[in-house]
Amino acid sequence: MPAVPAVPAADLSPSLVEVEIGGHRFNCAVAAAATDGFSDWIRSGAGTEAPVHWAQRLVQPEWCVLDLGANLGTFSFPIAHDCRQVVAVEALPANYVLLTVAAASNDVPVVPVHAAVWDRHATISMSGHSAWAQAVDHAEGHIPGLRVRDLVDAYADGEIDLVKIDIEGAEAAVMPDVLALAERRDRFAIIYEANQALSTDDVRGLHRSVAEAGFALWYLDPMSLRAMPVDLDVPQFVLNCDVLALKGEAATELPSSGWSVDELAERMAWEVEQNGTDACRWYARAVLEQLPRDVAEHPAVVAALGAEDIDDAAGREVSRYRRLIGG
């Protein structure tokens, strides 16, 4: 396994910000000059996100958790209060520096690791910044790309029980290695991001691969923090969604029925309004063609999408998403 190099010193002028997530108060480190929305969210005190909410319902004191795409630790630190250890893997050098600063100020068992999780050994470069950086396989990269098994063997204090994956479009590439960890386990949990905007294939392919490995799947709603069973016969109803996958007895304790028309329409409308991007609106238009007509004609959805004209460029994007999801 390649050695993890020291991160070049950078004058990030980090400041510690006390936040509360999942009922736990802890410090996050933020770069003084950071002006992105994620850093601003932390400065505002943050708040409980769906992955933390559901992980806390599952995690046991003896569990070891692997956080792939740890960013600034907003998942790792609150979960570490409730388990034996969190291995927090972050590829972006600046984020890793901030993660280590915060880890030193919090009395919880978080082990920061500077690496990009990958499907093979490689050298990696990063494209992007803050919470939205993507790994790129590059011969001149300086960040080690490590496989999941290597990370577990090198840094985990025992077997992994829960894996959280938020690596900006590379989830499908590393999922086989994550599923391999669960092969001989009676119980296992995965929380992963499924972002259709970053995928060249229908994300249902990713969902199917997890389901075929013996997991039950739910979409996690950031608005209500509720879970909705994944129906593989219809497209993912929003562009970007966190998914909970469970193997074992815990899967029988979660909801087995889908949402009502009102709930689904309000969730889609909320996504369009909160996200506000063209891609989100284009995807919604493509998906609505495959959902019940009552959803497409729901007042909340109509109000969120409005009566905007679809120009040629937008029409091409809607058609692209339509082809991706089989419409």
Side-chain angles (χ1 to χ4, degrees):
M1 183 177 69
V4 178
V7 177
D11 184 13
L12 297 172
S13 300
S15 59
L16 291 174
V17 179
E18 186 178 58
V19 300
E20 181 172 344
I21 298 177
H24 296 299
R25 299 193 69 84
F26 57 91
N27 292 324
C28 273
V30 180
T35 58
D36 60 276
F38 188 74
S39 297
D40 288 343
W41 175 69
I42 290 176
R43 291 189 185 101
S44 73
T48 300
E49 296 182 297
V52 171
H53 174 79
W54 284 97
Q56 286 184 314
R57 291 185 56 166
L58 298 166
V59 73
Q60 302 295 319
E62 71 275 11
W63 280 22
C64 187
V65 174
L66 183 61
D67 184 358
L68 303 178
N71 204 291
L72 303 186
T74 55
F75 179 88
S76 290
F77 291 127
I79 296 305
H81 280 272
D82 303 316
C83 68
R84 187 175 77 252
Q85 181 194 50
V86 178
V87 178
V89 183
E90 175 55 35
L92 195 65
N95 284 353
Y96 173 74
V97 170
L98 296 170
L99 183 64
T100 58
V101 169
S105 74
N106 292 302
D107 186 20
V108 290
V110 170
V111 180
V113 177
H114 185 216
V117 61
W118 211 240
D119 60 355
R120 60 193 178 279
H121 290 162
T123 53
I124 303 297
S125 295
M126 298 301 293
S127 172
H129 68 285
S130 185
W132 303 278
Q134 292 178 271
V136 180
D137 192 344
H138 196 287
E140 297 180 0
H142 65 280
I143 301 167
L146 304 181
R147 299 191 67 167
V148 169
R149 186 73 256 178
D150 296 329
L151 290 163
V152 173
D153 290 344
Y155 300 103
D157 180 20
E159 292 279 0
I160 295 295
D161 301 280
L162 185 152
V163 181
K164 170 256 185 181
I165 319 172
D166 185 352
I167 49 178
E168 300 304 305
E171 288 81 6
V174 306
M175 189 60 79
D177 283 353
V178 172
L179 294 176
L181 296 178
E183 282 181 355
R184 293 180 297 277
R185 304 292 301 279
D186 293 330
R187 67 177 187 188
F188 203 84
I190 308 169
I191 298 175
Y192 65 93
E193 182 183 61
N195 191 338
Q196 189 65 75
L198 300 177
S199 177
T200 57
D201 300 300
D202 188 339
V203 293
R204 280 181 293 176
L206 173 58
H207 302 334
R208 287 191 181 97
S209 71
V210 179
E212 289 169 359
F215 286 79
L217 282 70
W218 293 263
Y219 295 123
L220 301 182
D221 178 22
M223 181 172 61
S224 67
L225 303 182
R226 293 174 57 197
M228 172 186 177
V230 172
D231 182 352
L232 294 174
D233 292 330
V234 296
Q236 180 171 294
F237 62 99
V238 291
L239 185 66
N240 184 15
C241 194
D242 291 310
V243 178
L244 170 64
L246 290 179
K247 178 182 180 181
E249 291 183 5
T252 64
E253 301 174 4
L254 270 74
S256 58
S257 59
W259 290 354
S260 67
V261 168
D262 284 342
E263 290 172 324
L264 186 55
E266 288 168 4
R267 173 64 179 89
M268 292 187 70
W270 183 88
E271 178 75 12
V272 169
E273 293 167 348
Q274 291 295 313
N275 189 301
T277 65
D278 289 337
C280 192
R281 290 191 294 273
W282 295 332
Y283 183 76
R285 290 186 179 278
V287 167
L288 286 168
E289 296 174 3
Q290 297 193 44
L291 294 179
R293 188 172 179 179
D294 288 348
V295 178
E297 296 179 350
H298 192 281
V301 171
V302 173
L305 289 176
E308 62 181 343
D309 293 330
I310 300 295
D311 60 21
D312 290 343
R316 287 193 294 271
E317 289 300 315
V318 173
S319 296
R320 182 176 71 85
Y321 281 126
R322 188 183 294 125
R323 289 193 298 272
L324 272 178
I325 62 178

